[in-house]
Every structure is written in C-alpha cells, then in structure tokens.
Amino acid sequence: MTTRILKKKKLPKQGMLDNVMRQFDHAADIIDLNPNIRKILEVTNNELVVHFPARMDDGAVEVFTGYRVQHNNSLGPYKGGLRYHPTVDIDAARALAMWMTWKTALAGLPYGGAKGGIQLDPTKYSNSELERITRRFTYALGDNIGPELDIPAPDVNTNAQTMAWILDTYMSTKSPAERSTNLHVVTGKPVGAGGSEGRDRATGYGVFLTIKFWAENKKVDLKDKKFIVQGFGNVGYWAAHFLEKEGAVLTAVQDAYGSIANANGISVETLFEYSVANKGSILGFSGSHTIDNADFFGLDCDIIIPAALGNQITAENAQRIRAYLIAEGANGPTDVEAEEILLKKGIDIIPDILCNSGGVIGSYFEWLQNRNGEIWTLEEVMQKLEKKLRESFIRVSETSENRKVDMRTAAFIIAIGRLEETYVQRGIFP
Ligand code: NAD
C-alpha cells in the first residue's frame, strides 16, 4: 500500500479582529449607535486562556493552549464553536466571538456570542490523543461553559465526535442529579448522544438556502450555474451537496492541501467519498486536474463559496474574481479592502453572519430539544430552519434596500440595533 504524503498549504495571516472591528464601526456610525453601548460592544466580556497537559500515545506529556472568549451575553447564553487549528489565538477567538454575537442577534436567537479552541494542528495527533486533549481542555474550561452559560459547538477541525467527548467529560464532573439534565452543554452532538437530526448539514443547507433566496430575488435560475468551493469540510461539502441537487455544477475545490478543477463538473458525492478515503484531502481526485492555489478565486464561475478560514479573499485576489456572487460559508473570509473592490465591481456578497447562520440556528433547535425533552424529525428541523433563515434574509434585503447599503452593513445594522435596544431597555447596573 502506498501512503500519500499530504503537504499543507502555507497558513494564511488571520487579522480577523481588525476586520470585524471595521465592519462593526461602519454599521455603528451609520445608525449613530449610542456611544455608551458602543463602548460595551467593542470589547469582550470574558477571556479565558488555559494551558493544560495531555498524554501522548508514546507516554510523553505535551502542554496545549486553549481559548474561550465570551464577547456578549445580553441576549442570552454565550454561543459559539471550538476550533482546533494552528492559527487559533486570542485575537482570532475575539474576532470569531464578536461575529457570533452579531450572528445570533441577527437570527433573533436568545443567545450571545463566544468562540474558542486549541492552538494545534490536529493532523499531527492520533484519534486517541485528540480525545485526551479534548477531555483535558473541557476539564480546564470547567464551569466557564454550561448549558445556560456558554454552549460550544463544532467548528474547523472539530465535529460531532469532539462534542460527544466534551459532553461526556463535562457530565463526569457533575453530581448524579445534574448529569441527565446537562445534555445541552454542547450542540452538534451525534444524534445517538443527544444531538439533533439535521444539525450536521444545517450550516451548509443554510448557505445553500441563502443562495437560493438571493437567486429568487434576482430572478436567477441556479440550474447549470458554475460554483467553486474553498474548504470541503462540513460546511463546504453540504453546501455543494444541496447546490448540486438544485442543478448547479461544482467546477473547482480548494482545501488545506491544494486546489482541483474540472470545467465540465466535479461530482460532489464522488469527491466526498474520495476525500474521506484520502485523509480528508481532495488532492489527486481522478475527475479533475490540479491547479495553482493562486488561480483559484479567479476561475471562471458564477458563485464562490469560501468555506474554510478567515481573510482568504483579499485585495490581492479580489480584482481577479469573475463570479457575481460570493456566499460566505466561512466566518470572515473576505477582508474589508477586498469587499470594497468587490462591491465596486458589482459583485454581491451574502455576509457570513447571515449566510452561515443555519449552523447556529440548527444548534438552537438541538438545545431546545434537549432542554424540553423533545425529539424532532429531520423534516421538522429543515422546515423550521428554512422559515427562520428566510425571515432573516428578507430583513437583511429590506434593510439593504431601504438604507441603500450592502448586505453585510444591513446585517450588522439589524444585529447591533437589537443589542442597542436591549441595553436601552434594561439600563446599566448600577
Ligand atoms: P471543517 O474542519 O469541517 O472543514 C474545513 C475545510 O477547510 C477542510 O476541507 C480543510 O481542508 C479546509 N481548509 C483548511 N485550511 C485551509 C486553507 N488554508 N485553504 C483552503 N482550505 C482550507 O470546518 P467547517 O466546520 O466546515 O468550517 C468551515 C468554516 O465555516 C469556518 O470558517 C467555520 O468557522 C465556518 N462555520 C462553520 C459552522 C459549522 O457548523 N461547522 C457554522 C458556521 C460557520
């Protein structure tokens, strides 16, 4: 048997905090946000950095650094994913936590925003090492997370299995009476461990739905439209799956290892099977040829779905983009300079806090089911998700039209407005 040696792409610079702050400032200026509330929202409530040991398979002990940043909880418990990646640091966690606050507020959920993770490259660890690392991280987080306090979920390089380990570890530290009532300490769990039907596909389905709503508005038929996807993990795969079902054609994919293309179309399911068998990488897929990473965003296509990391579409590559729609599956994939270029070129951007909000909406449904002892069918989940996302999409489109601003600014205006309202009504103690 030959083993493929997977060489990783150079890691991108993140700089996401600068982006989210500039996006926030822009919308806050437009609505003339109350200056006292602005002061509150431009900082995070709590920031936890933990160093914890875990035993490796060879018996050695390694010490890891984990983060949990809780930005704001004025609308409800903190909510947001956990990412395992070398670029995870305090600034990345701050930026991603802020985006979560705007996302949950925009979706009208009773949540605030948080984010965290561990700075590591998971491909360097075995499954059992990742289990021990996750359990020690959960133990280190202790009671800083909780079903009514701060509820993590999957993000880059974490999945349903990671959530099951967190749940089990969290439960093990509780008294017998509390153990059966804390299932909703994490969402995105496997269905057998208290997860919800449909949570696995909720983010990608939501990305697809927002593209569908956009196409309905613009009277564009998605059939035969060419789309390319950066990141073929949970979000990228499911978004591609639903778009292909609608008749659109996947023509290129990029992941952490490189880029592939086929102008005649790439079968989403065959590529998915291949990537699962190929340690999560798309490279070497027989129905395609390899292309240079630098050429990816400039490919001839109609729709681009960035579904990997932040700051991928920059001033450097934005000029070459030929698509007319960017649907942000990832958080913060387009930096502020790139966005200015794209908007000038007349390219529409469905912003992350709307486009990928199907994930947190799906998480909310899981949390509600756990809390109320209910089990919903896949059909129910998908219908409720579509209804909620459609409402958000309409609100953003109307605000964008009424205020003559782009969709991101409109989404921020709605989210920040909701937070402003709650602070004004509640007042500030003392
Ligand atoms: P994932 O770990 O399942 O998949 C990530 C994919 O991105 C993989 O295919 C990986 O190879 C690729 N990738 C990593 N680094 C890359 C690079 N430098 N260049 C190109 N590709 C790269 O992660 P996911 O859960 O699909 O998350 C993807 C994005 O979507 C993230 O920005 C995340 O914050 C966002 N998001 C995820 C969810 C969710 O429910 N999982 C919800 C909302 C937003």
Side-chain angles (χ1 to χ4, degrees):
M1 200 180 95
T2 53
T3 317
R4 170 181 292 278
I5 301 196
L6 297 172
K7 216 168 143 248
K8 283 226 169 165
K9 279 175 56 183
K10 219 173 119 219
L11 286 176
K13 283 206 204 99
Q14 294 277 298
M16 293 186 292
L17 188 57
D18 179 53
N19 260 339
V20 70
M21 289 308 299
R22 286 166 73 180
Q23 293 168 350
F24 169 75
D25 282 340
H26 179 56
D29 286 347
I30 290 176
I31 60 170
D32 201 12
L33 177 66
N34 175 317
N36 290 323
I37 295 164
R38 192 172 182 140
K39 278 185 221 158
I40 299 170
L41 293 178
E42 61 193 12
V43 295
T44 60
N45 283 1
N46 306 304
E47 301 183 344
L48 182 66
V49 182
V50 291
H51 302 289
F52 58 95
R55 195 169 291 285
M56 300 295 100
D57 290 342
D58 65 2
V61 167
E62 264 190 50
V63 175
F64 296 88
T65 303
Y67 302 87
R68 188 69 180 169
V69 170
Q70 300 169 333
H71 173 240
N72 190 278
N73 64 346
S74 60
L75 295 171
Y78 300 106
K79 185 86 190 83
L82 289 175
R83 178 176 291 197
Y84 289 2
H85 198 270
T87 58
V88 171
D89 60 16
I90 194 70
D91 277 354
R94 284 174 181 149
L96 291 161
M98 284 187 183
W99 272 313
M100 284 309 299
T101 302
W102 318 137
K103 196 183 300 182
T104 53
L106 172 66
L109 302 177
Y111 285 143
K115 204 81 171 197
I118 308 175
Q119 192 180 69
L120 59 65
D121 178 354
T123 59
K124 296 204 174 123
Y125 298 93
S126 71
N127 203 44
S128 54
E129 286 170 339
L130 287 171
E131 175 175 352
R132 288 193 294 276
I133 293 166
T134 300
R135 288 183 181 279
R136 283 304 303 241
F137 180 41
T138 309
Y139 186 75
L141 290 174
D143 279 335
N144 291 293
I145 59 168
E148 307 290 334
L149 171 66
D150 181 355
I151 307 128
D155 194 77
V156 176
N157 293 329
T158 58
N159 54 26
Q161 176 61 78
T162 323
M163 297 305 115
W165 292 330
I166 295 175
L167 171 69
D168 187 67
T169 310
Y170 183 84
M171 295 289 213
S172 305
T173 64
K174 297 289 151 210
S175 71
E178 284 173 303
R179 276 179 211 155
S180 53
T181 54
N182 279 317
L183 273 181
H184 51 315
V185 63
V186 278
T187 56
K189 301 178 287 289
V191 174
S196 170
E197 291 290 350
R199 174 60 186 89
D200 55 355
R201 66 208 68 184
T203 313
Y205 185 55
V207 171
F208 158 70
L209 284 175
T210 60
I211 295 172
K212 196 178 87 159
F213 301 152
W214 174 91
E216 283 168 9
N217 265 3
K218 301 273 172 186
K219 311 230 177 323
V220 169
D221 184 358
L222 288 175
K223 195 167 176 327
D224 296 329
K225 292 293 174 295
K226 288 184 188 170
F227 69 99
I228 66 173
V229 180
Q230 186 197 41
F232 202 64
N234 175 278
V235 180
Y237 160 67
W238 280 109
H241 167 93
F242 288 108
L243 262 178
E244 187 182 67
K245 269 176 95 181
E246 193 75 7
V249 183
L250 176 67
T251 53
V253 183
Q254 182 182 91
D255 73 3
Y257 305 97
S259 307
I260 60 167
N262 182 346
N264 296 319
I266 294 170
S267 157
V268 174
E269 297 315 313
T270 319
L271 179 63
F272 180 67
E273 279 163 28
Y274 174 82
S275 77
V276 170
N278 193 36
K279 297 185 177 168
S281 171
I282 53 162
L283 272 199
F285 179 60
S286 58
S288 66
H289 58 276
T290 306
I291 60 160
D292 212 78
N293 279 328
D295 296 333
F296 182 75
F297 286 118
L299 287 172
D300 176 25
C301 64
D302 302 295
I303 303 166
I304 298 179
I305 306 177
L309 302 175
N311 285 4
Q312 297 296 298
I313 302 180
T314 61
E316 241 172 82
N317 55 30
Q319 214 51 270
R320 297 200 296 274
I321 287 181
R322 289 189 269 171
Y324 47 71
L325 177 66
I326 294 175
E328 294 186 332
N331 287 306
T334 314
D335 76 19
V336 172
E337 280 82 19
E339 179 148 22
E340 276 170 23
I341 296 170
L342 297 170
L343 293 176
K344 269 194 199 133
K345 285 173 70 166
I347 296 169
D348 278 356
I349 303 170
I350 308 177
D352 45 11
I353 62 169
L354 171 66
C355 189
N356 69 42
S357 65
V360 74
I361 297 171
S363 278
Y364 170 58
F365 294 158
E366 178 176 332
W367 185 78
L368 274 185
Q369 289 171 75
N370 291 160
R371 227 175 168 218
N372 301 337
E374 289 177 17
I375 295 177
W376 303 352
T377 63
L378 178 62
E379 225 180 23
E380 267 178 286
V381 172
M382 302 306 255
Q383 273 171 8
K384 286 181 206 258
L385 183 62
E386 176 157 0
K387 183 171 178 289
K388 223 161 176 16
L389 257 181
R390 193 183 284 280
E391 287 163 5
S392 282
F393 191 90
I394 291 172
R395 267 200 306 272
V396 172
S397 301
E398 286 177 354
T399 306
S400 160
E401 264 171 44
N402 294 342
R403 289 199 174 248
K404 306 211 177 332
V405 293
D406 58 280
M407 287 181 86
R408 187 184 320 279
T409 307
F412 268 69
I413 285 175
I414 298 166
I416 297 170
R418 194 171 165 223
L419 286 148
E420 183 177 34
E421 187 184 4
T422 197
Y423 274 107
V424 167
Q425 287 172 357
R426 282 163 59 159
I428 292 172
F429 165 83

